[in-house]
Amino acid sequence: YCWLLHWLLWLVAISGVLMLMVSRGHYTIDVIIAYFVTTRLWFMHNAIIANRHFQQRSSTNHLGRLWWWKLAIWFEENVKGPVPAQFEFPNPWNFSFNSVTSKSRTRDPARDI
């Protein structure tokens, strides 16, 4: 079912871009620049997260010069390994504040910046 969702989201994204261009709400260059910037940011963020070398400040880590580098590392500091591709629908009726307040973030000293 994952491949069906993947292709459905691609179809929705492409049709959204085409609808923007057809409605003349944006110029073509706006859409092209937005696509370029968004995909580059996504690739850089995933490169930082996927590679341990990019998560440490060094003279060879050019991604460490980005202004949002520390924020990206902070968001991922407690992730120990690959996140499994398992999804579930949220159940808003089964919500309790105790489950939110009882969780705390523990620092992993191995990932200090």
Side-chain angles (χ1 to χ4, degrees):
Y1 297 109
C2 189
W3 64 270
L4 179 64
L5 180 64
H6 176 81
W7 286 108
L8 179 68
L9 291 177
W10 263 108
L11 182 67
V12 168
I14 290 171
S15 64
V17 168
L18 291 175
M19 293 298 158
L20 272 175
M21 289 182 175
V22 168
S23 70
R24 297 182 184 191
H26 288 272
Y27 294 108
T28 305
I29 193 68
D30 292 347
V31 176
I32 292 171
I33 290 172
Y35 174 80
F36 180 78
V37 169
T38 304
T39 54
R40 298 311 145 225
L41 285 173
W42 187 85
F43 286 131
M44 284 189 286
H45 178 262
N46 283 319
I48 290 171
I49 301 310
N51 192 335
R52 288 275 185 199
H53 172 72
F54 293 142
Q55 296 176 10
Q56 298 166 355
R57 204 177 272 286
S58 71
S59 62
T60 58
N61 180 6
H62 299 291
L63 292 178
R65 298 178 189 163
L66 297 171
W67 66 268
W68 50 268
W69 178 75
K70 282 188 177 184
L71 186 63
I73 300 301
W74 181 76
F75 278 133
E76 302 290 330
E77 76 180 344
N78 289 331
V79 178
K80 304 295 184 219
V83 178
Q86 296 174 344
F87 305 100
E88 61 185 61
F89 288 105
N91 186 356
W93 298 278
N94 195 14
F95 179 77
S96 71
F97 285 105
N98 293 337
S99 64
V100 174
T101 58
S102 65
K103 294 179 182 177
S104 63
R105 290 182 71 142
T106 57
R107 270 192 97 70
D108 183 7
R111 295 190 66 167
D112 280 343
I113 298 172

